[in-house]
């Protein structure tokens, strides 16, 4: 589907359209419609209680995400996950809401482990002084929120911290991953996959990242961010092992 065929975002993602997009995306992400399944517009109208025009707009949105494809004289076919836009924040959110969320989190955490240490290294070389100072401030606020057990504030600050590291790298491709990281952190928190009180070592690692970037020490910045990623992997390894043995 060409970009010209995509519905305007203020139509496709507002009101009733947004609600049905979300319901159908969640259903596909959860495997209620398996890869290769055929959706028929008449059945979708009945299932969601909306008009044909709404269903068509919703399907166009899902098609733009690579989740479905219209087939003449057949219907709308659900595509395999390998065809989906796996970097789309909504697709990530739907997959994290599915029974396969642990595998999704593992995949995303492995990606973060490959990218964020390098982003921290580059930030130490390129970050403006204002960004480096802001990172130090965020690290301090993170420590306080973690100590106080303020989960929602900690999540908000953690997202800001990692977003700023990515953007301070000076690499526009890394900067565009901030939405992905935000969804990972949000998913881990809201699905109970984060400790209620972050370990002091993890809080110190954030301070270490910020300090290294402020000092312009690329090696230390990379090492400190890698330690954060490896700790996240370790914290989730039990979940992955439990899933593998089910």
């Amino acid at each position: 589907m060409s970009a010209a065929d995509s519905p305007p975002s203020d139509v496709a993602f507002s009101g009733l359209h947004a609600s049905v997009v979300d319901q159908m995306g969640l259903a596909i992400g959860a495997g209620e419609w398996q890869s290769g399944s055929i959706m028929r517009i008449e059945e979708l109208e009945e299932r969601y209680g909306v008009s044909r025009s709404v269903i068509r707009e919703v399907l166009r949105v899902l098609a733009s995400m690579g989740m479905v494809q219209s087939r003449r004289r057949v219907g709308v076919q659900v595509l395999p996950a390998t065809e989906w836009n796996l970097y789309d924040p909504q697709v990530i959110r739907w997959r994290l809401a599915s029974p396969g969320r642990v595998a999704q989190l593992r995949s995303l955490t492995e990606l973060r482990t490959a990218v964020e240490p390098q982003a921290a290294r580059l930030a130490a070389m390129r970050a403006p002084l204002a960004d480096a100072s802001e990172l130090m401030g965020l690290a301090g606020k993170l420590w306080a929120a973690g100590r106080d057990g303020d989960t929602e504030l900690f999540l908000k600050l953690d997202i800001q911290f990692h977003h700023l590291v990515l953007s301070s790298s000076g690499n526009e491709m890394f900067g565009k991953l901030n939405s992905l990281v935000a969804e990972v952190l949000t998913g881990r928190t809201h699905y109970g996959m984060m400790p209620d009180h972050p370990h002091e070592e993890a809080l110190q690692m954030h301070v270490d990242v910020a300090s290294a970037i402020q000092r312009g020490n690329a090696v230390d910045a990379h090492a400190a961010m890698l330690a954060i990623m490896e700790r996240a992997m370790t914290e989730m390894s039990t979940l992955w092992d439990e899933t593998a043995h089910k």
Side-chain angles (χ1 to χ4, degrees), residues 178-211:
N178 66 81
S179 296
L180 180 152
V181 172
E183 292 299 336
V184 175
L185 295 172
T186 301
R188 283 192 66 193
T189 299
H190 290 172
Y191 291 108
M193 298 178 182
M194 288 277 274
D196 292 334
H197 286 76
H199 195 280
E200 187 171 309
E201 182 184 13
L203 297 173
Q204 182 60 48
M205 289 172 183
H206 284 76
V207 174
D208 292 344
V209 169
S211 175

Side-chain angles (χ1 to χ4, degrees), residues 28 30-38 77-79:
I28 295 172
E32 290 182 34
W33 280 299
Q34 296 290 328
S35 171
S37 298
I38 300 298
Q77 186 175 42
V78 177
L79 298 178

Side-chain angles (χ1 to χ4, degrees), residues 106-123:
R106 180 172 190 163
S107 177
L108 290 167
T109 304
E110 289 172 348
L111 175 63
R112 291 183 65 198
T113 301
V115 170
E116 290 197 61
Q118 176 67 0
R121 187 184 77 83
L122 292 174

Side-chain angles (χ1 to χ4, degrees), residues 18-30 32-33 39 44 47-48 54-55 58-59 62 67-68 76 94:
S19 175
V20 181
V21 166
D22 197 46
Q23 291 178 65
M24 289 185 65
L26 284 167
I28 295 172
E32 290 182 34
W33 280 299
M39 298 173 164
L44 295 173
R47 173 168 175 165
Y48 294 104
V54 170
I55 292 297
V58 168
L59 291 173
L62 295 175
M67 299 184 83
V68 301
V76 178
W94 294 331

Side-chain angles (χ1 to χ4, degrees), residues 4-111:
D5 293 328
S6 300
S9 59
D10 60 343
V11 173
F13 291 95
S14 62
L16 184 60
H17 293 82
S19 175
V20 181
V21 166
D22 197 46
Q23 291 178 65
M24 289 185 65
L26 284 167
I28 295 172
E32 290 182 34
W33 280 299
Q34 296 290 328
S35 171
S37 298
I38 300 298
M39 298 173 164
R40 304 199 182 281
I41 289 179
E42 297 79 7
E43 294 171 0
L44 295 173
E45 288 178 66
E46 183 177 350
R47 173 168 175 165
Y48 294 104
V50 295
S51 68
R52 177 164 298 204
S53 63
V54 170
I55 292 297
R56 288 191 182 280
E57 289 294 336
V58 168
L59 291 173
R60 289 170 67 189
V61 173
L62 295 175
S64 73
M65 297 175 175
M67 299 184 83
V68 301
Q69 182 178 56
S70 295
R71 297 188 59 192
R72 187 168 296 182
R73 299 190 183 89
V74 175
V76 178
Q77 186 175 42
V78 177
L79 298 178
T82 51
E83 298 297 319
W84 303 354
N85 180 2
L86 300 178
Y87 288 89
D88 187 293
Q90 276 198 293
V91 174
I92 292 171
R93 201 173 306 134
W94 294 331
R95 296 183 79 197
L96 288 176
S98 77
R101 73 173 59 96
V102 172
Q104 166 73 340
L105 276 171
R106 180 172 190 163
S107 177
L108 290 167
T109 304
E110 289 172 348
L111 175 63

Side-chain angles (χ1 to χ4, degrees), residues 112 115-124 126-128 131-132 134-136 138-139 142 157-171 174-175 178 181 205-206 208-211 213 221-222 225 228-229:
R112 291 183 65 198
V115 170
E116 290 197 61
Q118 176 67 0
R121 187 184 77 83
L122 292 174
R126 301 171 177 171
D131 286 1
E134 185 178 352
L135 274 173
M136 284 299 297
L138 285 170
L142 267 172
L157 293 169
D158 204 19
I159 289 172
Q160 291 176 1
F161 183 91
H162 289 277
H163 182 183
L164 188 54
V165 171
L166 288 167
S167 62
S168 296
S169 71
N171 183 305
F174 287 176
N178 66 81
V181 172
M205 289 172 183
H206 284 76
D208 292 344
V209 169
S211 175
I213 290 174
H222 184 282
M225 184 62 84
I228 292 175
M229 296 298 104

Side-chain angles (χ1 to χ4, degrees), residues 216-239:
N217 191 318
V219 173
D220 285 357
H222 184 282
M225 184 62 84
L226 182 60
I228 292 175
M229 296 298 104
E230 289 178 341
R231 184 173 186 86
M233 296 281 279
T234 299
E235 288 174 349
M236 298 184 63
S237 61
T238 302
L239 287 170

